[in-house]
Amino acid sequence: MAPRLPAHCWRQLLVRPTSSSPTTPSTLTRATLPSTTATSAATLPYTQSRTVKSGWSTLPTRFKPHRFNQTTSGLPVPTAGPAASLKRKERTTPVRAGVLATKKGMTVYMGRTGARIACTVLQLDRVQTVLNKTKAKHGYWAVQVGMGERLAGNVTAPMLGYYEAKGIAPKEVLAEFRVRNEKGLLPVGVQLLPDWFHVGQRVDVRSNSRGMGFAGGMKRHGFAGQEASHGNSRNHRTIGTTGPSQGSGARVLPGKKMPGRMGNQRVTIQNLPVLLTDNELGIVVVKGCVAGPKGAVIKIQDACKKDPPSDAHIDKTKKLLEERFPEAEAYLQAARERHLELKEARREKRIEELMTEQADAIEHVIAATAREDATTAAA
Amino acid sequence: MNVAPLARRPLGCLKASLRQARQQKMFTRHIATEAAQTTTTTTTTPQPPLEHSFFRLNDRKTKTLRTAFAVYPNTTVAGKTVAPAPVNVVQSLHEVQIAKMDPTGARTALFAKTREAAKPGDVLMVTHRRGGEPFAGVCLSIRRRGIDTAVLLRNHLSKIGVEMWFKVYNKNVAGIEIVKRRPKRARRARLTYMRQPKHDFGSVDDLVFAWKRSRRVFTSGKPTAAAAAAAAKGAKGAVAAKKK
């Protein structure tokens, strides 16, 4: 059935100038309007042919106008779909982005009043914001953060281009932190230091647990095993039966606990208090233990089941970012322009010229300084 | 642009006509201010220098340059130089905490690996901050773990062997004193054999009693003076006897 649109809409569609047609992406196929308006070639397509190149998005797909999907239809707001999902998760999504860290080991924290608290030391190594993800473009709000360093030879060419466009050295790890809304987005390229968190606040700590390999039922699920004696033969650590016999199904129920790969899973420890932060050492000390071996990559973010840090603290940390990196925006812009220049050069096979140009410039500078040194020495 | 809506604009609509007039007015204003705008020089903020090297990607067969990417130095963040994260942070954290919990260095000195320090086999007495009877016993082992350094003492209370761990840097430990040194250095780091009946040291109460009496003889009996005297003697090695 034809969409229930007001008459003037149809009229407007008919008189739309045809000059807009070249701007439509080539991946979109032209759809024809039903019945009377089939002659109009200027309308936007209703359907989209999906290919490998069309990518992935959580944005709502282009839908056909229908009497049920009009805003005037009077139907309730859908409770499923990307928008509803974001709305549902809004309350448990942290306000701020988190940081990446490396687990350095466990030790104790001695309190002034004699308390002795087991704690884990997490170190932040040049943690930088890399990308902001927005609802309009990506379907959700998030900040991509990178940590550490990686040799350029161990980075793929697409990622080299990605870092080049941001003026950032290749990172060892990249990770995304979901934030509640656009207020949680950060300037790109700035460094996050341990004072991003304050002492006493609660954080959620995520990491991969230590991998145990293929483990038996006793180790993996705490099964009791079997007797050591009383005629038992070579079945001391086996799991025994996996289900009832004929008459009650005679099958293994789905989800039956069995031997298999153990560990190396994402583990979240919620609501760990922060005991200490130190910018010079670059460490955040949290109470208790964190999954994974030493050297494991850890994600730290404000606890989602507690109140977010106070507005004063959030403002303070944002202001600190601006104070520490006042030229971040200009630097990013310059890097982008340089990237476009290099990209064009790569396309036109001129990149070698640019490389020699730069090398010449460097040589020139070195020669100039050497000359200056010589003149000063002579004087 | 917007040709179609203008074409369908109803005649005689006062609002739309006025709007058009307003648009024209803005246009004329724009022309008037155009000359003034060109005279003003726009000051652009100086862009930070971009220092980067190139990473070459060569063709595998011909070994010639295929493409290259700019790679920025990993010690630069948004145009500012930053240092890589320091190594051995856990050790540094220990040092920071020890400086805080033991400002005089007495506790560190007592269990350092020096000739004067306490060793396994010595009889030690630990005073607790929250009051109660001080615990004395033979030191069976010293567990050196930075801020978490601890000693294991063994004694007999009413003929039953009792062992207790004490965290050296804990604020609850008010003081540790050496009651009696072992005459000969123990040849083990952990004297677990002393738990066997054959090697058991038994109760150290007599030793502690004698040590306390000797201290009283040398001093006037005031606890602070006693501690000072003991510290001054050095041979007794009483340290960290500070009480709040």
Side-chain angles (χ1 to χ4, degrees), chain A residues 107-108 110-114 116 123 125-126 149 153 164 167 169 189 191 276 281 324 334 338 346 355 358, chain B residues 50 52 54-55 67-70 72 74 77 80 82 84-86 89 93-94 97 100-101 129 148 170-172:
Chain A
T107 179
V108 297
M110 290 286 183
R112 287 271 180 204
T113 53
R116 180 178 166 274
Q123 189 178 34
D125 182 12
R126 285 162 288 173
E149 64 178 72
E164 180 191 272
Q191 189 186 11
L276 186 82
L281 296 176
R324 283 174 188 154
R338 179 69 172 153
R346 277 193 286 269
M355 287 168 74
Q358 200 200 25
Chain B
L50 289 172
H52 65 74
F54 279 101
F55 181 73
T67 185
F69 289 91
Y72 290 85
N74 55 29
V77 169
K80 250 176 98 173
V82 294
V89 273
L93 180 64
H94 282 167
Q97 285 203 77
K100 194 175 75 175
M101 304 307 288
R129 193 180 59 139
D148 203 24
N170 198 314
K171 280 286 174 195
N172 286 338

Side-chain angles (χ1 to χ4, degrees), chain B residues 87-144:
Chain B
V87 292
N88 289 339
V89 273
V90 177
Q91 201 184 337
S92 310
L93 180 64
H94 282 167
E95 284 161 12
V96 168
Q97 285 203 77
I98 286 172
K100 194 175 75 175
M101 304 307 288
D102 181 27
T104 58
R107 291 171 195 238
T108 311
L110 184 58
F111 294 103
K113 287 189 172 176
T114 54
R115 187 172 277 273
E116 299 78 36
K119 289 181 181 58
D122 293 351
V123 177
L124 305 181
M125 191 177 79
V126 174
T127 322
H128 207 260
R129 193 180 59 139
R130 302 251 168 86
E133 191 74 7
F135 186 89
V138 190
C139 175
L140 292 195
S141 69
I142 301 170
R143 183 179 177 271
R144 291 191 177 86

Side-chain angles (χ1 to χ4, degrees), chain A residues 11-12 15 104-116 121 123-126 128 149 152-153 157 160-161 163-164 167-170 189-191 276 278 280-283 285 323-325 327-328 330-331 333-335 337-338 342 346 349 351-352 354-355 358, chain B residues 1-2 4-5 8 45-57 65-80 82-90 92-94 96-97 100-101 129-130 143 145 147-149 167-172 244:
Chain A
R11 248 180 281 127
Q12 201 152 356
V15 297
K104 284 290 165 185
M106 289 195 72
T107 179
V108 297
Y109 179 81
M110 290 286 183
R112 287 271 180 204
T113 53
R116 180 178 166 274
V121 181
Q123 189 178 34
L124 281 62
D125 182 12
R126 285 162 288 173
Q128 268 179 283
E149 64 178 72
L160 281 175
Y163 290 118
E164 180 191 272
I168 294 174
V190 296
Q191 189 186 11
L276 186 82
D278 191 326
E280 274 180 33
L281 296 176
I283 55 170
V285 180
E323 281 171 16
R324 283 174 188 154
F325 304 99
E327 287 182 350
Y331 183 84
Q333 186 57 32
E337 279 163 17
R338 179 69 172 153
L342 292 174
R346 277 193 286 269
K349 311 281 182 198
I351 191 72
E352 203 154 14
L354 285 181
M355 287 168 74
Q358 200 200 25
Chain B
M1 74 183 252
N2 268 346
R8 288 191 286 107
T45 52
Q47 285 189 349
L50 289 172
E51 288 176 5
H52 65 74
S53 57
F54 279 101
F55 181 73
R56 301 166 62 97
L57 287 170
L65 180 76
R66 180 162 63 87
T67 185
F69 289 91
V71 174
Y72 290 85
N74 55 29
T75 50
T76 310
V77 169
K80 250 176 98 173
V82 294
V87 292
N88 289 339
V89 273
V90 177
S92 310
L93 180 64
H94 282 167
V96 168
Q97 285 203 77
K100 194 175 75 175
M101 304 307 288
R129 193 180 59 139
R130 302 251 168 86
R143 183 179 177 271
R145 297 286 188 282
I147 185 73
D148 203 24
T149 298
K167 299 293 174 187
V168 171
Y169 293 105
N170 198 314
K171 280 286 174 195
N172 286 338
K244 287 179 183 176

Side-chain angles (χ1 to χ4, degrees), chain A residues 72-83:
Chain A
T72 53
S73 63
L75 291 172
V77 182
T79 55

Side-chain angles (χ1 to χ4, degrees), chain A residues 336-351:
Chain A
R336 273 182 186 151
E337 279 163 17
R338 179 69 172 153
H339 170 63
L340 289 179
E341 187 188 335
L342 292 174
K343 197 175 171 185
E344 192 63 33
R346 277 193 286 269
R347 193 168 289 157
E348 294 167 5
K349 311 281 182 198
R350 287 192 291 110
I351 191 72

Side-chain angles (χ1 to χ4, degrees), chain A residues 188-249:
Chain A
V188 170
V190 296
Q191 189 186 11
L192 300 178
L193 291 166
D195 62 4
W196 185 249
F197 302 107
H198 69 80
V199 173
Q201 86 160 90
R202 303 296 185 111
V203 290
D204 287 347
V205 180
R206 292 183 168 82
S207 55
N208 275 11
S209 62
R210 197 186 284 265
M212 302 287 176
F214 194 99
M218 284 180 74
K219 184 174 177 180
R220 193 176 180 216
H221 303 294
F223 289 166
Q226 292 182 35
E227 293 162 312
S229 64
H230 289 292
N232 195 343
S233 168
R234 297 189 288 182
N235 276 312
H236 305 291
R237 294 183 64 89
T238 53
I239 57 170
T241 183
T242 54
S245 61
Q246 193 178 5
S248 39

